[in-house]
Amino acid sequence: MAIWLVLLVLLVAAWALLRVQRLRRTQPSALPAARTLFDLRTGDIVQCDGRDWVVEDRLLYDEDGFQWLEYLLRDGPEARWLAVCEDDWLEVSWLEQGPPALLRQLASAATPFPDQIHCEGLTYERREEGRASATSSARTMNRHLASCRFADYEAEGQRVLSVERWNDDETEITIGRRIDPAALALLPGDGRSVYRPAG
């Protein structure tokens, strides 16, 4: 009888141990790891200027081995780009779509890019230009985007402007400002897009 009792106690202990192990596997781990400007993911939150922006895509640009990041951020219908470039020092820019009139003007212009661009009362001087490939992390298909020609411009007051020509026929312009990375709060999300339908 004592043997049966010992076997029953061992069986109950083994069952309890297996149950605890299963619960540990199904329960989410501790809080998600803190994010940096180099590892934001879809669904993460970037707080800037008192607003919460959701990361919707992450583009990694590569120009002959030199790389930089641009994150597509959304807050409702509005979009912004957070550009992160680490060269001799960290440069972070907060960008939005450029004015349509400037887009039309530059889309019809021949390359190379102009030395100066006049926009919204400022004169932007070309700082650099080149060709880069881009890879998206949020897309299921077409992760490797076509290469683009780009030119980066600067104006007084930490103002920046970027022109990208994709496949030599589609022009995109973003305009904005350099920002102090400390002005941003980066919060981990759940890894899911808020604005794209679940697939």
Side-chain angles (χ1 to χ4, degrees), residues 53-129:
W53 298 86
V54 180
V55 176
E56 284 295 304
D57 201 355
R58 175 184 186 263
L59 299 181
L60 175 64
Y61 286 80
D62 188 302
E63 180 189 24
D64 298 324
F66 181 78
Q67 298 180 331
W68 66 96
L69 294 165
E70 289 188 10
Y71 297 98
L72 172 61
L73 310 174
R74 297 269 311 265
D75 182 12
E78 294 184 55
R80 297 291 185 273
W81 287 96
L82 177 64
V84 180
C85 180
E86 185 179 43
D87 196 357
D88 293 334
W89 55 85
L90 181 64
E91 291 181 4
V92 179
S93 300
W94 188 255
L95 305 160
E96 62 185 286
Q97 185 175 348
L102 180 60
L103 177 61
R104 285 190 298 276
Q105 173 192 343
L106 292 176
S108 63
T111 54
F113 300 99
D115 291 334
Q116 293 182 337
I117 294 177
H118 304 283
C119 181
E120 299 176 346
L122 294 173
T123 300
Y124 291 84
E125 302 281 342
R126 189 178 65 218
R127 183 177 63 130
E128 66 179 303
E129 70 177 282

Side-chain angles (χ1 to χ4, degrees), residues 25-58:
R25 275 186 258 145
T26 59
Q27 289 179 344
S29 58
L31 293 174
R35 299 289 191 250
T36 71
L37 288 170
F38 301 102
D39 65 1
L40 291 170
R41 301 177 192 155
T42 300
D44 287 348
I45 305 295
V46 176
Q47 293 179 327
C48 183
D49 296 334
R51 292 177 66 181
D52 291 346
W53 298 86
V54 180
V55 176
E56 284 295 304
D57 201 355
R58 175 184 186 263

Side-chain angles (χ1 to χ4, degrees), residues 164-179:
E164 295 176 353
R165 286 212 174 106
W166 295 88
N167 298 324
D168 293 325
D169 65 352
E170 180 185 348
T171 303
E172 294 180 8
I173 298 171
T174 53
I175 190 168
R177 68 189 195 280
R178 288 242 168 74
I179 60 172

